[in-house]
Amino acid sequence: MEREFCPLGAVNKWPYKFLQQPDSETISKAFFAAGQFRSRGWTLYYINTLLGTARKPLILVPADEVQALFDDIKQELGLIVYFPSSKREPGFLLSFTEEGVPRPRYLGRLDFEHSLDEMEAKITSHHLAQDENHRLDDRSFAAFKKKMEAAVQATNQKSKNQRDKKKKDRVSSKHGWCEQLKRTQCYLGIRPRADPGLPDPVQDDDIPPRELEAAIKRYNLAQCINLPDLDVSQPAPFPFQSSVIFICVDVEAYEKEPRPITEIGISTLDTNDLVGLPPGERGMAWMKKIHSRHFRIQETSHLHNTDFVAGCADRFEPEFGVSEWILMKEAPQVIASCFRPPYSSRLDPIDDTSNVSDREDHGPKRQLILVGHDIKMDIDYLRKLGYDVSNLSNIIEALDTADLWRAWKHEQNPTKLGSILLELELVGWNLHNAGNDAAYTLQCLLGIAISARTSPRNPNSSQLTNRTQALEREARDRAKEEADEWAAADQEGGDGGPPKPLDRIGWPAEAEAEAEAKKRADKIKNDEAKRAERRALDMKELKAGIRKEDIKSEPWVADEVGGGEAGNKVDNDIGKAITGVGEEDNEGEVSFEQGITDRLALLEGEGAAVGGGVKLPAMGSNIRGW
């Protein structure tokens, strides 16, 4: 059987181009975003499109690997997906059975270790020249050219309106990251809060010319424009907004299902401890004020990660403290103790004999900022343990160092905690220990916030140059577009606006995740109802169109699976299922209705091989296209 292929670019864009929300975003987060599509591993082939020397070879992947992806999506997310129809996207599923046309050539494996650029560099001009020499008649060449044009079109982005919407969404995300970084600097007293009520002195004709320059400086400072250079050898020049306490959480889980929790790391930084203290280079002096705790779960202490990361639960850095053992049932209470006074001090959090009043401040509740690296995952783990931090009324927002990094470096994609430490010239030992990671994440927050104030802003033209050098052919236009988006998102001035409050349902302040889950559940329910309705209609049609006495004589099964001896065998097998009569057994005949039900059950199988390797489609999935 001739193998079929799909353009790699079309597969990579498949969830965004062919699926609707919320399924598109759900599948993207689970299988495509953050490098997951590439790290999945793909077998690459290439073919000369014969569309001219300016057109690069088309990179292909086997269709069975794409089907494996669809199967994983169904298994993990409960979403039934399939190839786009040939009418809607004729270039998505390709075969090369025509006589004399070029055939796909094997290129290699695309994975997390090998980039697409490295793979494409292996394509030789010798092989391309061989394909150029194919002698196709006019009709064959026209058909092949049409197929290649459709394949190239399948790799293109969505329509202009859809591209504009995606660009608007990207600018919005980037703007949010930049505002988050500015708010972080306000909390740390290295950026002032803006005063939007101060009038622009340039528009005030009553200000004497000799006072105008000083008025403009005051106005610019109030709008956070042209801020003076930050001197890290001096204390923070502005008030610490809200006198917050940063609380960073990191949770480690075992790498195999059901992914039980093995460690919890919690670090705190009280901005009251920073008053009058110079931050030092990259905030090194402030980092000494971070207090950390590391909790290990007794019931899961025998589980050690080895496949994806090197677990090091027993290597909590001595400079941060010592590990503490707790029971799984004690975890919610232990975590809760770290979100109230005395926060990360060494008071026993599960000592019921301790005087609670001695542990609480008698003043108003302190405002807290939750911190994490990919914070949503840690929030989910805490909820799995039975503790929901979004129920705390004094947490005013959550900061994610992955987003702060993107805002500082103007990067579209997040990066690993270890890479940020390296960029900040900070030493990180024994990463993937929850206690160490929590402490290092707070160090990164300080380092990013201060470095963003002391490092010169990269001009957009310089960013464009760096991008085009790194991605040459593929990303020149995309790099310029990103630079424009950052220019629109990260406008000078402002203080980041008000904090983004948490919500008891969503995180942060959004019920998006719950809404997506509800839509997904409703969709599954509706699909089940539709399948039941189609099943009833099929039963009705079968009852009306098939006479019991004709079942053994009519080759209707053979027609469906391709005929021949294999088809006749299937005819006999399904005839036996319907009538209860086999070649050697004429007893035990079942009812006609039961026979019809059995036939539907056979047709509804999960793609089991029938006859000579032919597959019957699964009802409720691709049955409508059968």
Side-chain angles (χ1 to χ4, degrees), residues 326 328-340 348-352 354 359 385-387:
I326 63 173
M328 186 74 75
K329 66 180 181 180
E330 298 169 345
Q333 187 177 355
V334 169
I335 298 168
S337 71
C338 295
F339 283 85
R340 61 174 182 261
D348 185 358
I350 54 176
D351 182 6
D352 293 334
S354 62
R359 301 171 58 182
L385 284 169
Y387 187 78

Side-chain angles (χ1 to χ4, degrees), residues 14 58 107 121 208 213 380 384 435 447 491 529 540 593 598 600:
W14 166 78
L58 184 66
L107 181 58
E213 183 177 354
D380 290 339
K384 183 178 179 180
Q491 298 179 3
K540 184 177 180 181
E593 288 76 7
D598 292 341
L600 288 174

Side-chain angles (χ1 to χ4, degrees), residues 8-74:
L8 176 66
V11 178
N12 194 20
K13 297 178 177 67
W14 166 78
Y16 317 107
K17 190 171 183 180
F18 298 104
L19 299 182
Q20 300 295 324
Q21 294 288 9
D23 292 347
S24 174
E25 184 173 357
T26 301
I27 291 175
S28 173
K29 289 180 179 178
F31 289 92
F32 285 79
Q36 294 178 91
F37 178 80
R38 173 176 154 188
S39 61
R40 179 182 178 86
W42 297 91
T43 305
L44 299 189
Y45 292 77
Y46 71 94
I47 190 168
N48 192 338
T49 63
L50 302 182
L51 298 178
T53 56
R55 175 65 63 182
K56 295 192 305 179
L58 184 66
I59 305 299
L60 305 171
V61 295
D64 52 5
E65 293 187 7
V66 181
Q67 182 61 56
L69 170 64
F70 292 170
D71 293 341
D72 290 346
I73 291 173
K74 177 182 177 182

Side-chain angles (χ1 to χ4, degrees), residues 24 48 115 135 140 157 239 307 332 488 511 586 593:
S24 174
N48 192 338
S115 69
R135 300 300 182 190
S140 298
Q157 287 286 4
D307 293 347
N586 295 324
E593 288 76 7

Side-chain angles (χ1 to χ4, degrees), residues 114-134:
H114 303 89
S115 69
L116 182 60
D117 288 339
E118 292 174 344
M119 293 292 100
E120 289 183 322
K122 296 166 61 177
I123 300 176
T124 65
S125 58
H126 170 69
H127 289 147
L128 295 180
Q130 286 183 333
D131 290 336
E132 292 284 355
N133 293 330
H134 271 81

Side-chain angles (χ1 to χ4, degrees), residues 506-564:
W507 188 271
E510 295 174 357
E512 180 180 345
E514 185 179 45
E516 285 183 3
K518 184 177 184 302
K519 287 181 179 178
R520 194 157 55 244
D522 291 343
K523 184 177 184 301
I524 294 174
K525 184 177 179 180
N526 291 335
D527 288 345
E528 290 292 343
K530 290 179 180 178
R531 282 195 291 270
E533 182 180 359
R534 286 197 300 270
R535 185 184 180 94
L537 289 174
D538 286 346
M539 175 74 78
K540 184 177 180 181
E541 291 174 1
L542 285 172
K543 286 182 178 181
I546 302 175
R547 295 180 303 166
K548 181 177 180 180
E549 57 270 22
D550 291 339
I551 288 176
K552 296 183 66 176
S553 60
E554 291 294 328
W556 47 271
V557 176
D559 290 342
E560 290 176 346
V561 299

Side-chain angles (χ1 to χ4, degrees), residues 15 19 27 31 72 107 112 151 155 162 210 225 275 311 330 354 358 362 366 382 390 403 451 460 469 508-509 526 623:
L19 299 182
I27 291 175
F31 289 92
D72 290 346
L107 181 58
F112 200 73
T155 65
Q162 292 170 317
R210 63 179 180 275
I225 298 174
V275 176
E330 298 169 345
S354 62
D358 292 339
H362 295 288
R366 297 286 301 279
L382 290 182
S390 64
D403 295 340
S451 297
N460 291 324
Q469 288 177 348
N526 291 335
I623 189 70

